[in-house]
């Protein structure tokens, strides 16, 4: 029973870490997209 609890805690920690990583990647991609959009708007002008 103790092993199952430890396994559950480890799985929860890994899931939380993965969510934070995906969130960070999403923010980075969003910032990159905004930079490309801004650059293309300046090039059009």
């Amino acid at each position: 029973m103790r092993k199952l609890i430890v396994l559950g805690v480890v799985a929860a920690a890994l899931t939380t870490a993965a969510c934070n990583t995906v969130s960070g990647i999403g923010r980075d991609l969003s910032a990159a997209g905004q930079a490309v959009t801004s650059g293309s708007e300046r090039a059009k002008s």
Side-chain angles (χ1 to χ4, degrees), residues 3-45:
K3 287 182 183 181
L4 186 59
I5 293 171
V6 171
L7 183 60
V9 170
V10 170
L14 290 174
T15 301
T16 301
C19 287
N20 289 334
T21 301
V22 170
S23 176
I25 290 171
R27 279 183 264 142
D28 290 345
L29 289 176
S30 177
Q34 288 175 356
V36 169
T37 301
S38 176
S40 67
E41 290 296 323
R42 282 194 305 255
K44 285 191 330 188
S45 300

